[in-house]
Amino acid sequence: MIKKASLVLLSLLAGVSLNAQAADWGYGKSNEHWAESYPICGLGKNQSPINITSALQTNLAPLQIEYDGKITDITNNGHTVEALVSGDNKLIVDGDTYTLRQIHFHTPSENLINGKQYPLEAHFVNVDDKGNIAVIAVMFENGLRENNALSSLLKNIPTKGNTIDFTDDLSPNNLLPREREYYQFNGSLTTPPCTEGVRWFVLETPQFSSKDQTEKLHKIMSNNNRPVQPINARIIVK
Ligand SMILES: [Zn+2]
């Protein structure tokens, strides 16, 4: 587990996506074969994504998000469109400090909230110095107006396998909603190798984007959502 986590961290540090570990997996029908090459995808009991239901009301501390850096590159790895960041971008949870590595997208959403699937979900992937991963997930609902941060981000999307410089002055914060209440549970990477031990923070309040924006991303990524996985013994808190 630790080995896998450090491999993930290494690939992240090398600017390679979590999703770019192998070219031998895909979505749709081929999703059923992930476990043949990546056993945890089939055997794991804490897999992501999930349908978030029956969340236990507790007194969760507010998320301490200190994203002071900016987005520097956009990459298209064939599985997702990903924004790379520089500067000081911290997430502090229970005294542990994580650093934001990248933000990427799924159309439609991977996690569901009380059975509802959103047209778009963004994942903010944060890693601590031991290689532990914490993901903040933000849902996007179709609204009447364009989302300014997304407009800026999606102005130029690189073709598959390419990375482009991003020169607008855009903070990762601009992609987050103002309301930061969240659901918390343990899960996994939603892509092979499906490594578990990932801390998930799914924001309750969706952002809005226009249908055109969601469709633009979907046209490039197609359906890149893993189906929901059994919750098993997990407890979801909010
Ligand atoms: Zn993701």
Side-chain angles (χ1 to χ4, degrees), residues 19 80 104-106 110 123 125 135 190-191 200:
N19 297 305
T80 188
H104 65 264
F105 298 93
H106 297 271
E110 295 205 294
H123 287 161
V125 181
V135 180
T190 65
T191 53
W200 279 87

Side-chain angles (χ1 to χ4, degrees), residues 1-9 18 21 34 38-41 44 46-48 131-133 135 186-200 226:
M1 189 66 113
I2 288 164
K3 243 187 191 160
K4 256 181 199 156
S6 3
L7 271 178
V8 168
L9 179 61
L18 281 175
Q21 301 233 334
W34 287 9
Y38 306 96
I40 299 295
C41 299
N46 298 308
Q47 290 288 294
S48 288
N132 299 307
I133 298 168
V135 180
N186 292 319
S188 71
L189 301 180
T190 65
T191 53
C194 305
T195 312
E196 295 191 336
V198 176
R199 300 174 80 171
W200 279 87
R226 185 188 193 195

Side-chain angles (χ1 to χ4, degrees), residues 34-189:
W34 287 9
E36 290 163 17
S37 305
Y38 306 96
I40 299 295
C41 299
L43 297 172
K45 294 286 180 241
N46 298 308
Q47 290 288 294
S48 288
I50 58 168
N51 177 19
I52 299 165
T53 61
S54 314
L56 208 63
Q57 182 78 55
T58 61
N59 277 321
L60 290 175
L63 275 181
Q64 203 177 333
I65 302 172
E66 297 173 6
Y67 291 163
D68 298 325
K70 58 179 204 161
I71 293 165
T72 54
D73 297 89
I74 311 287
T75 188
N76 175 351
N77 63 27
H79 296 301
T80 188
V81 170
E82 192 171 291
L84 305 175
V85 295
S86 73
D88 198 19
N89 301 291
K90 285 195 181 72
L91 165 68
I92 301 160
V93 185
D94 302 333
D96 295 328
T97 301
Y98 297 79
T99 299
L100 177 67
R101 297 294 180 193
Q102 43 103 340
I103 305 157
H104 65 264
F105 298 93
H106 297 271
T107 50
S109 74
E110 295 205 294
N111 291 292
L112 312 186
I113 299 180
N114 294 317
K116 179 178 166 65
Q117 185 169 46
Y118 289 81
L120 173 64
E121 180 175 349
H123 287 161
F124 294 69
V125 181
N126 306 268
V127 185
D128 75 5
D129 58 8
K130 295 185 199 76
N132 299 307
I133 298 168
V135 180
I136 296 175
V138 178
M139 301 297 171
F140 284 77
E141 180 77 284
N142 282 337
L144 294 175
R145 284 190 303 171
E146 287 204 340
N147 178 297
N148 290 339
L150 272 187
S151 299
S152 164
L153 206 63
L154 306 179
K155 213 167 14 184
N156 299 302
I157 302 178
T159 50
K160 191 173 167 175
N162 290 303
T163 300
I164 54 168
D165 290 340
F166 182 77
T167 52
D168 289 7
D169 195 14
L170 188 69
S171 156
N173 272 326
N174 295 131
L175 290 162
L176 291 169
R178 275 201 201 97
E179 300 292 326
R180 305 276 171 87
E181 280 85 27
Y182 59 97
Y183 299 100
Q184 186 181 355
F185 49 89
N186 292 319
S188 71
L189 301 180

